[in-house]
Amino acid sequence: MRLRRLTQADNIIINALAVALIVLAGWFAFRSPAFLTLGNLKIVLVNSSILAVVAAGLTLLIIAGKADLSIGSVIGFSSVMAALSANPWGWHPLASMLFAIACGAAVGAVNGLLCGVLGLNPIIVTLGMMTALRGLTQLIRQNPVNGLGGEYRMLGAGEIAGVPVLAVVAGAVFLLAAVVLYLTPWGRHTYAIGVSGQSAFLSALPVRRLPFLLYVAAGAASGLAGVMLAARLNGTDPGSAGVGMEFAALTVVLLGGVAFDGGRGKIAGVLLAVLFLGVLDNGLILLNVDQHLKEVIQGLALVLAAGLDVLGTRIAARVQAARRVAGRTAPPSGPLLASAEQVRLTREM
């Protein structure tokens, strides 16, 4: 049983990521004495926190066999709404934060209605939403907004017991995603829908309601990421906020072992992937690597993530085939004369 667990595709990818993260961190520590300093490690956590929040919401969505390419535009839109409501409009900072998160959830509800309920193609719908929402953001505000102050300053630059508040928020979101995925029936239904939507429908699972709710959750997570971005910058730039975040989030989700066609993946793998890319980006900055070379490396990371997606799918298929063969050929462990029902159950196991 232990060997069977270790040969699962998810565990193979997670173990490989853990080893790669340790090797990468060791190499950067060898090349730059500043890498392992406490201040730099906090920078890694802060820089990774926004991506982590977005990736947590996207992970559940992709496990269910859905996708959302509009999350970068949702981040930009939500950050602008947070900044405008806090500064020119004069709202209380907490009210403006909740408003921005609600704006993200509303966009997620639209995506959920079109993709989860009506069954439209998620790639096409969310690509259209990405473009439309980016244009709407520019129509609402073209100039940067600065000077949010108050609770935004605490969220963006504060610490709790020496840990940046942004990192604490990201950890709480990942913990919530793990609880939903592993400790609730919704998590089991998410995997089942991702494996086979038709089978889930025949099993009377909520094949429309659950994807709708997952889109709303992903939109709310993107809205929270927009609030965190505005807090970290003490403002926002409508033209650049959230640009490229959808591809970064997709990279870490696939790199973490989540299958793009759904049904497979673990939160732990995605968390390791977020830390891996955070360490990689920070180390390249410390080594003064050219920006264009950084973009090449990040692009190769996405290609590697796609390769791991295919590799994980093939490994999972082979493991399942080996289990079926072992179940058919295993000698009986009980009495020699078994009932037909016992034989059938043994074969299915």
Side-chain angles (χ1 to χ4, degrees), residues 131-154:
T131 304
L133 198 58
R134 184 63 65 180
L136 177 61
T137 304
Q138 292 286 338
L139 287 175
I140 294 175
R141 179 80 179 195
Q142 296 181 353
N143 300 323
V145 181
N146 298 309
L148 304 184
E151 282 78 359
Y152 279 96
R153 185 181 298 108
M154 176 60 186

Side-chain angles (χ1 to χ4, degrees), residues 222-249:
S222 300
L224 175 59
V227 171
M228 295 167 67
L229 179 63
R232 183 186 172 196
L233 301 177
N234 195 28
T236 188
D237 184 357
S240 61
V243 173
M245 286 295 294
E246 57 276 341
F247 300 109

